[in-house]
Amino acid sequence: KFIDIKCRKSGLRPDAVVIVATIRALKYHGGIDLKELNNEDLPALERGMANLERHVRNVREVYGLPCVVSINRFNADTPAELELLRNKMGVLNVPVILATHWADGGAGAADVARAVVDIIERGQNNFKFVYEDSAPLWDKIKAIATKVYGAADVSADSKVRGQIKKLQDDG
C-alpha cells in the first residue's frame, strides 16, 4: 500500500523494489523468543518467511515490479539459515543479496546496488496501481484489503460506511 500512496503523491514510478529483512526478524516472525534470536533456528526461520514471501508476491504480482531481497547480514546468521533463505527465495526466482552496510558503509551495499541495476536493465517493470484513482473510497479500501492483504472481502457497519461516504464526498 505504501507504493500506491508514495507514487500517487509524488508522480514518480518505481523501476524495482528492494525488500530489506534480517534473519533475526524472520525468525522472530516465526515465533522464536527474543532471547533466542542469535541462535540458529531453521524451523522458526522457515515459518517467518511466509511474511517475506507475501511481500515478494505483492511486489511482483500486485504491483508488477521486479525485486531483490536484501538481507542485512549479522554475525549470528548461520550458513544454514542463509542457505534456507536463498532456497526459499530461489523457488520464487528472487535474488537474495547480503548487505553489511551497517558495518562496512556504502561498500557493504554495493552488491545490492548492482543487483538492482541488473533487474532494472532486464526491463521486467510492469508497474500498476492496486486501484484506479477514480474509484470510490470503499472500492479502494476493498482493493487494498483483497489484493495486498489477501482478505476475502471487507465489511463495515453503517456508521463506518457513513464515515467513508463523508470522506468520499468531502474529497
Side-chain angles (χ1 to χ4, degrees), residues 78-135:
T78 70
E81 290 171 330
L82 294 169
E83 180 181 354
L84 176 60
L85 176 62
R86 282 193 171 110
N87 289 340
K88 293 288 274 186
M89 292 296 106
V91 171
L92 298 175
N93 198 27
V94 176
V96 174
I97 313 299
L98 302 181
T100 57
H101 53 284
W102 59 271
D104 301 323
D111 289 340
V112 175
R114 281 189 282 277
V116 170
V117 169
D118 181 54
I119 65 171
I120 290 171
E121 287 177 348
R122 287 190 218 151
Q124 299 171 341
N125 178 340
N126 298 304
F127 177 68
K128 57 190 176 279
F129 288 110
V130 173
Y131 55 80
E132 295 297 322
D133 262 343
S134 60

Side-chain angles (χ1 to χ4, degrees), residues 139-171:
D139 292 349
K140 292 175 182 179
I141 293 168
K142 185 174 181 171
I144 291 170
T146 58
K147 293 178 183 177
V148 176
Y149 293 105
D153 200 2
V154 286
S155 63
D157 64 25
S158 59
K159 181 179 178 182
V160 171
R161 283 190 174 259
Q163 290 170 327
I164 290 170
K165 183 176 179 348
K166 182 174 180 349
L167 288 169
Q168 177 79 39
D169 293 346
D170 292 347

Side-chain angles (χ1 to χ4, degrees), residues 21-32 37 41-55 71 84-85 88-89:
T22 65
I23 295 289
R24 292 170 50 90
L26 294 171
K27 289 190 296 190
Y28 183 70
H29 287 295
I32 195 170
L37 288 178
D41 190 327
L42 298 177
L45 176 60
E46 188 158 8
R47 287 189 307 271
M49 278 194 273
N51 190 18
L52 178 60
E53 290 167 333
R54 181 64 184 222
H55 284 299
I71 297 297
L84 176 60
L85 176 62
K88 293 288 274 186
M89 292 296 106

